[in-house]
């Protein structure tokens, strides 16, 4: 007997169609629930990790911690080290030099809507294991380097840490972590050379002599601003040179833009973002009006600005970074730090005898650099958060 042929009836077709619609609905709903779960619930993150993701994410502006908007809050648990740290320059150890107040050490920057995790030396060194970190720039960047070294050195046993010097660079080595925290002196980034008659020539399009120290580094942090705005009396150069053109004068912000552009081209051409992270710290504000005495005897941060002023150097820097291919992170500390006129050494750049203390105004007042412990420690807490993966 022949087998009956399968006949697809109208009823069977309806059943298959109905089941197909149910399956599609189920798949869409499951996908939606999964996506909702990923967005609203991240059980593998603790509170500190969430803070760091707020800081770091460049893909989701809603999750990014904006360091610009916030306030200084008094925190009795600070500072994280004291002025006996052996790696501090005498000029920034304000407590040892006789500064009578110490509250400037206890202020922490609190961004609006998020927070910066407290610096954890062991955690930082663990994340930086087998890495080179280099801070490049002027004496304010050295100020920050000394802060970072002092933040980590306390958890490293004696004999397992050392500082080495090589040309314009210095390096702190945490030997058990195979980590180095380095400083490279390059206040203008581009090259300043001696020319005929011992004249100082700033080559706006040359950078190789400085940049040779930056190769092979895992994390590069740059700054460059103050030296570009020195007055004629304190200028670091006699001539500008670009190509074969020797110029006696140039608008300082035009020169700054040319110098930064030379730097940006070097970064774009020589660094691989898969191997090197680059951060540019914005200018550290000075409070040296009134002949350098604006910061003397200041004991509290300003609460707010009567008017907001964006320095021209920051606008130039932002413009250069926007034109780069390499993803450079701008660490903008200018606005928050401008409130901290209380944090400078002022006259306490050296220890004064008892008689000298009676006449402090007989001495110069440093309203550019920062006492340590102090403001640069907060920059490094920001830096640590930025680097946390």
């Amino acid at each position: 007997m022949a087998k009956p042929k399968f006949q697809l009836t109208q009823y069977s077709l309806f059943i298959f169609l109905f089941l197909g619609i149910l399956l599609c609905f189920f798949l869409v709903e499951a996908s939606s629930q999964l996506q909702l779960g990923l967005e609203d619930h991240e059980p593998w993150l603790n509170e500190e990790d969430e803070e760091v993701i707020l800081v770091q994410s460049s893909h989701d502006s809603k999750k990014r911690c904006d360091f610009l908007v916030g306030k200084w809050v008094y925190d009795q648990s600070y500072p994280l080290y004291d002025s006996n740290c052996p790696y501090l320059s005498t000029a920034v150890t304000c407590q040892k030099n006789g500064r009578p107040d110490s509250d400037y050490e206890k202020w922490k920057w609190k961004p609006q809507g998020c927070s910066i995790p407290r610096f954890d030396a062991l955690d930082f060194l663990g994340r930086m294991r087998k890495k080179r970190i280099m801070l490049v720039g002027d004496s304010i960047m050295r100020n920050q380097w000394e802060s970072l070294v002092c933040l980590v050195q306390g958890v490293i046993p004696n004999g397992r840490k050392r500082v080495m010097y090589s040309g314009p660079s210095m390096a702190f080595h945490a030997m058990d972590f195979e980590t180095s925290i380095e400083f490279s002196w390059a206040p203008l980034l581009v090259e300043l050379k001696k020319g005929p008659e011992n004249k100082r020539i700033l080559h706006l399009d040359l950078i190789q002599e400085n940049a040779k120290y930056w190769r092979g580094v895992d994390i590069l942090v740059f700054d460059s601003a103050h030296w570009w705005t020195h007055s004629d009396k304190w200028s670091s150069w006699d001539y500008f040179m670009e190509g074969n053109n020797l110029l006696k004068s140039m608008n300082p912000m035009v020169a700054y833009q040319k110098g930064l552009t030379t730097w940006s081209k070097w970064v774009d051409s020589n660094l691989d973002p898969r191997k090197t992270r680059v951060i540019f710290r914005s200018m550290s504000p000075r409070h040296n009006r009134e002949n350098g005495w604006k910061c003397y005897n200041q004991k509290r941060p300003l609460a707010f600005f009567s008017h907001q002023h964006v320095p021209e150097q920051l606008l130039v820097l932002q413009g250069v970074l926007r034109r780069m291919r390499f993803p450079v992170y701008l660490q903008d500390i200018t606005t928050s730090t401008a409130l901290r006129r209380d944090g400078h050494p002022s006259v306490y750049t050296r220890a004064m005898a008892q008689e000298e203390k009676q006449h402090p105004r007989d001495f110069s007042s440093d309203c550019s650099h920062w006492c340590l412990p102090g403001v640069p420690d907060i920059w490094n807490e920001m830096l640590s958060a930025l680097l946390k993966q």
Side-chain angles (χ1 to χ4, degrees):
M1 180 182 292
K3 293 183 179 179
K5 293 182 178 179
F6 178 76
Q7 297 294 325
L8 186 62
T9 66
Q10 188 175 8
Y11 179 77
S12 301
L13 184 61
F14 174 79
I15 294 296
F16 278 116
L17 183 60
F18 178 75
L19 290 174
I21 292 173
L22 281 179
L23 180 61
C24 289
F25 177 81
F26 175 80
L27 290 174
V28 169
E29 182 65 15
S31 175
S32 175
Q33 291 298 325
L34 177 61
Q35 183 64 32
L36 182 64
L38 288 175
E39 291 175 351
D40 294 346
H41 305 283
E42 294 177 328
W44 60 90
L45 298 176
N46 57 37
E47 183 177 351
E48 181 173 305
D49 288 330
E50 289 175 344
E51 290 173 344
V52 173
I53 285 180
L54 285 171
V55 170
Q56 282 191 325
S57 174
S58 59
H59 304 293
D60 186 350
S61 59
K62 294 180 181 179
K63 286 190 173 183
R64 201 166 173 182
C65 185
D66 185 359
F67 290 152
L68 288 177
V69 183
K71 61 182 179 180
W72 289 96
V73 295
Y74 191 82
D75 190 328
Q76 193 67 250
S77 68
Y78 282 72
L80 303 179
Y81 60 92
D82 61 39
S83 59
N84 290 316
C85 173
Y87 304 102
L88 293 179
S89 301
T90 301
V92 301
T93 54
C94 303
Q95 288 294 297
K96 293 178 74 172
N97 293 340
R99 180 166 172 168
D101 60 305
S102 61
D103 279 356
Y104 65 89
E105 299 179 337
K106 298 181 181 298
W107 294 93
K108 175 169 180 167
W109 182 247
K110 175 67 172 68
Q112 183 176 310
C114 56
S115 60
I116 304 168
R118 183 184 179 90
F119 192 91
D120 184 324
L122 283 175
D123 171 73
F124 181 82
L125 288 169
R127 288 185 281 117
M128 298 298 110
R129 186 180 296 275
K130 296 187 177 181
K131 293 185 184 297
R132 291 179 64 194
I133 309 160
M134 182 178 286
L135 280 60
V136 181
D138 55 22
S139 57
I140 308 295
M141 187 59 93
R142 175 168 176 171
N143 215 179
Q144 184 176 352
W145 176 82
E146 292 183 8
S147 160
L148 185 55
V149 169
C150 287
L151 283 167
V152 302
Q153 69 89 28
V155 300
I156 305 171
N158 291 331
R160 305 305 299 164
K161 53 191 173 186
R162 66 174 183 269
V163 172
M164 300 179 67
Y165 301 88
S166 176
S169 301
M170 57 188 71
F172 171 85
H173 294 275
M175 287 158 12
D176 292 332
F177 293 88
E178 300 180 65
T179 299
S180 66
I181 302 172
E182 307 174 36
F183 169 72
S184 182
W185 173 257
L188 297 158
L189 299 181
V190 292
E191 296 175 22
L192 182 64
K193 297 182 176 182
K194 286 291 180 68
E197 300 179 5
N198 224 27
K199 295 294 184 181
R200 301 162 301 169
I201 301 176
L202 181 59
H203 294 262
L204 296 174
D205 53 1
L206 295 182
I207 201 168
Q208 291 297 338
E209 280 301 307
N210 293 331
K212 66 184 181 183
Y213 295 101
W214 312 338
R215 294 182 181 276
V217 177
D218 299 285
I219 297 157
L220 283 163
V221 185
F222 292 92
D223 91 320
S224 184
H226 285 296
W227 280 41
W228 294 94
T229 56
H230 286 173
S231 62
D232 291 341
K233 180 181 178 182
W234 302 105
S235 177
S236 305
W237 58 81
D238 300 301
Y239 295 97
F240 296 101
M241 194 161 189
E242 189 175 20
N244 295 320
N245 298 321
L246 191 66
L247 302 169
K248 177 63 178 173
S249 63
M250 183 183 296
N251 181 301
M253 288 299 96
V254 172
Y256 183 50
Q257 184 179 44
K258 289 178 179 289
L260 284 181
T261 299
T262 298
W263 166 84
S264 69
K265 289 179 178 178
W266 184 90
V267 170
D268 277 341
S269 301
N270 292 275
L271 298 182
D272 182 347
R274 294 169 297 182
K275 298 179 180 178
T276 305
R277 294 191 66 177
V278 177
I279 296 165
F280 205 113
R281 177 178 55 68
S282 66
M283 66 175 296
S284 164
R286 291 177 286 193
H287 297 91
N288 58 356
R289 286 176 291 175
E290 301 173 13
N291 297 318
W293 286 93
K294 193 171 180 63
C295 70
Y296 174 67
N297 208 29
Q298 297 295 329
K299 297 180 180 179
R300 293 180 63 87
L302 292 167
F304 59 88
F305 297 109
S306 57
H307 64 281
Q308 189 66 41
H309 171 68
V310 180
E312 195 172 358
Q313 298 100 306
L314 181 54
L315 296 176
V316 172
L317 173 60
Q318 289 171 337
V320 171
L321 295 183
R322 277 195 295 266
R323 292 189 292 273
M324 294 181 66
R325 295 190 307 273
F326 194 101
V328 176
Y329 183 91
L330 173 60
Q331 183 187 359
D332 189 345
I333 55 87
T334 302
T335 301
S336 59
T337 308
L339 296 167
R340 292 303 309 275
R341 63 182 184 179
D342 60 309
H344 298 287
S346 184
V347 298
Y348 303 105
T349 57
R350 67 176 187 68
M352 291 186 285
Q354 193 60 40
E355 290 184 8
E356 294 174 327
K357 292 179 182 178
Q358 305 302 317
H359 307 283
R361 284 186 174 267
D362 291 343
F363 301 92
S364 61
S365 178
D366 181 354
C367 296
S368 297
H369 299 91
W370 301 93
C371 295
L372 291 179
V375 171
D377 303 331
I378 306 304
W379 303 346
N380 284 322
E381 286 197 314
M382 294 179 185
L383 178 63
S384 177
L386 294 172
L387 296 175
K388 192 162 188 177
Q389 298 293 339

